[in-house]
Amino acid sequence: MIRRVTAPGLFPPPTYSHASVVEAGTKLAFLAGAVPLDDKGEVVGPGDPVRQAEQVIANLREQLRAVGSDLEHVIVTEVYVVSGEPSVLSAVWEVVEASGLSKGPHSSTLLGVACLGYTGQLVEITATAVVPEREEGSR
């Protein structure tokens, strides 16, 4: 269903693929940015990008579950981090890797940005995922 491609003429990426190809007729989910809010709408881990990344991944899992997918079926992400420091971006990427998102490996872009939508928000991840076909009789 998903063919992950590493272009042979490019430097091999460490934990992501250059492209993901999905056959026509496959159901895709385009997810809004997962943010570090708890179920009360409060920012989790103020000032802590790693803790926020963990909450973002948890929320992303919930988004995926709601559409009948999971981290394994994510084909592309954009990871936004409020920081200009490569070490902070790397720390957030370590959370992404540990989550299982990079098992695919999916295609991804990691960006340092000036700000995000919620006061105190340091991390956001947008994603596109395949929604696998359900077998007859399963939910």
Side-chain angles (χ1 to χ4, degrees), residues 4-24:
R4 300 173 198 282
V5 178
T6 299
L10 298 177
F11 182 78
T15 57
Y16 61 91
S17 61
H18 291 126
S20 297
V21 178
V22 179
E23 296 295 324

Side-chain angles (χ1 to χ4, degrees), residues 5 11 30 36 39 60 65 70 86 90 103 113 121-122:
V5 178
F11 182 78
F30 300 89
D39 59 355
L60 180 60
R65 188 174 297 120
D70 55 39
S90 292
K103 282 184 186 173
V113 298
Q121 179 185 359
L122 302 174

Side-chain angles (χ1 to χ4, degrees), residues 31-70:
L31 301 159
V35 297
L37 301 180
D38 63 18
D39 59 355
K40 296 177 186 80
E42 301 293 324
V43 172
V44 172
D48 184 348
V50 168
R51 177 65 190 102
Q52 287 196 15
E54 292 166 349
Q55 184 66 45
V56 166
I57 293 293
N59 291 349
L60 180 60
R61 285 181 205 267
E62 287 300 314
Q63 288 175 276
L64 289 162
R65 188 174 297 120
V67 298
S69 193
D70 55 39

Side-chain angles (χ1 to χ4, degrees), residues 28-34 56-57 59-61 63-64 67 69-71 73-80 101 106-108 124-130:
L28 297 176
F30 300 89
L31 301 159
V56 166
I57 293 293
N59 291 349
L60 180 60
R61 285 181 205 267
Q63 288 175 276
L64 289 162
V67 298
S69 193
D70 55 39
L71 293 177
H73 290 93
V74 169
I75 55 175
V76 65
T77 59
E78 292 82 30
V79 180
Y80 302 94
L101 262 172
H106 70 296
S107 301
S108 188
E124 184 164 336
I125 298 177
T126 61
T128 302
V130 169

